[in-house]
Amino acid sequence: MIGVIDYGMGNLFSVSKALERLNIEYKIGDRPDQLHGCDGYILPGVGAFPDAMKALAEHQFIGFIHQKVDEGVPLYGICLGMQLLFEGSEEGGQTDGLGLFPGTIRRFSGMDQSGRAYKVPHMGWNQMNIHRPEKELLTDVENEYVYFVHSYAAVTDDEDLLYATADYHGAVPAIVGRDHVVASQFHPEKSGRAGMQLLENFCRVMCRQ
């Protein structure tokens, strides 16, 4: 059973429909007591980082997430859900994150090295460049196109976290992970074959569904 964490800021419809297409059993809960005992968890997210951290606290999920990660239960963060796994974000002023990964979330500058403006947000299909093909999450996933929508991106000095990047006026973390905690900046549920394969790998391989 996969637990989908509902703190009021995730695209639950698209995630749940993707899991249904994969015939993965799941349940959605907006309080920790509704989600104990799951084999893995998905943390979706859309919106602003400070609002999301406030909502996680209000729904009592911050301690719950840390507890499950400490117990070795797999966790997959999606889009804003990935960003929340880092130490903090400069969005709306400095806000602390969950601190599961080193690094911070920063807004795209909108200006390349030659001084030319580029579009923010990074939106649409972009190709992944996979760095860690040996990882379970990336089984049968190649350098495919996936769907991004974000104005902020993770900045980290820990290159071991970078399972895959995308090129958007520089390398952008696309998939990150450490042990049983993984995440993607793009939306796997909106990313065609590659995205569905990632979700299936998380649920069936990492979570043994």
Side-chain angles (χ1 to χ4, degrees):
M1 178 70 69
I2 301 299
V4 180
I5 297 173
D6 176 13
Y7 57 107
M9 295 188 64
N11 192 342
L12 302 181
F13 179 80
S14 62
V15 172
S16 62
K17 289 302 178 184
L19 294 175
E20 288 170 11
R21 289 199 297 273
L22 292 169
N23 293 316
I24 300 294
E25 288 190 68
Y26 72 93
K27 60 181 175 179
I28 298 171
D30 62 6
R31 285 287 187 271
D33 59 7
Q34 299 171 346
L35 291 177
H36 279 295
C38 292
D39 301 297
Y41 295 93
I42 293 175
L43 177 65
V46 292
F49 191 105
D51 294 340
M53 287 303 299
K54 180 180 178 182
L56 283 176
E58 289 175 347
H59 287 260
Q60 302 173 19
F61 275 126
I62 292 178
F64 175 82
I65 290 170
H66 281 283
Q67 175 190 344
K68 294 304 176 183
V69 168
D70 289 345
E71 291 173 355
V73 181
L75 172 69
Y76 188 163
I78 295 175
C79 195
L80 178 60
M82 167 182 148
Q83 296 180 5
L84 297 173
L85 303 181
F86 284 84
E87 292 172 302
S89 173
E90 63 181 23
E91 184 176 4
Q94 190 63 37
T95 303
D96 290 340
L98 293 169
L100 299 176
F101 296 146
T104 191
I105 307 303
R106 294 177 183 163
R107 194 178 193 277
F108 287 113
S109 68
M111 194 76 66
D112 67 19
Q113 292 183 345
S114 65
R116 291 176 297 187
Y118 63 83
K119 181 182 177 182
V120 178
H122 172 206
M123 181 168 63
W125 295 85
N126 201 348
Q127 189 174 24
M128 292 188 292
N129 301 302
I130 292 175
H131 303 284
R132 305 296 297 276
E134 77 280 4
K135 294 298 183 180
E136 289 182 319
L137 183 69
L138 297 177
T139 302
D140 295 326
V141 177
E142 300 179 356
N143 293 335
E144 301 174 61
Y145 282 81
V146 290
Y147 190 77
F148 292 86
V149 183
H150 62 122
S151 298
Y152 290 77
V155 178
T156 180
D157 292 328
D158 190 344
E159 293 189 0
D160 287 341
L161 287 176
L162 301 179
Y163 286 14
T165 58
D167 183 16
Y168 193 68
H169 304 280
V172 177
I175 303 174
V176 295
R178 175 176 290 155
D179 300 326
H180 53 285
V181 181
V182 295
S184 57
Q185 179 60 71
F186 58 87
H187 289 267
E189 75 281 10
K190 298 180 181 180
S191 294
R193 193 213 73 85
M196 293 297 284
Q197 186 67 59
L198 285 167
L199 284 174
E200 185 166 23
N201 290 345
F202 174 73
C203 296
R204 297 201 189 280
V205 179
M206 294 186 65
C207 302
R208 305 291 187 260
Q209 289 294 284

